[in-house]
Amino acid sequence: MVPFLWSAPSVDVWNDVIVGLSIATIAGYNYFREANGRPASRASAATNTVLGLWLIAAPFVFGIDGTLLWNDVIVGSMITLFAGYNWGASDLPGTGSPSSA
């Protein structure tokens, strides 16, 4: 939303839209799995973690500064934190993973 409000360069807008839609789709897939009694996909959580890291790096790669830089860094940090936790916790005992017994 912020890139549209602050007249961001085209590359930043498209990067945020594509990465944001990808994250939302992957997170929705993991939610669907868990809602149906299946364990979260570690690959999906890992992909969202990488996309979060990309959001942190993208403003530096594209030369974005100011408010747009901090928006991407803060949102990317939150996504990396939550997706990284989901990635690590997805195979812990008691997290809905099927037992081997």
Side-chain angles (χ1 to χ4, degrees):
M1 193 67 155
V2 170
F4 294 108
L5 297 174
W6 291 91
S7 301
S10 179
V11 67
D12 190 47
V13 170
W14 282 109
N15 179 65
D16 287 354
V17 167
I18 292 168
V19 172
L21 288 174
S22 299
I23 289 170
T25 302
I26 294 167
Y29 169 73
N30 250 359
Y31 174 78
F32 177 79
R33 285 178 58 97
E34 289 190 19
N36 289 308
R38 296 175 60 198
S41 166
R42 292 199 71 193
S44 295
T47 302
N48 270 352
T49 303
V50 170
L51 288 171
L53 290 171
W54 168 248
L55 272 180
I56 296 169
F60 301 101
V61 171
F62 296 134
I64 307 299
D65 59 1
T67 304
L68 298 171
L69 175 136
W70 288 109
N71 175 69
D72 281 359
V73 168
I74 291 168
V75 171
S77 297
M78 291 185 340
I79 290 167
T80 301
L81 178 71
F82 292 128
Y85 173 79
N86 194 17
W87 182 16
S90 62
D91 67 345
L92 293 176
T95 58
S97 299
S99 65
S100 58

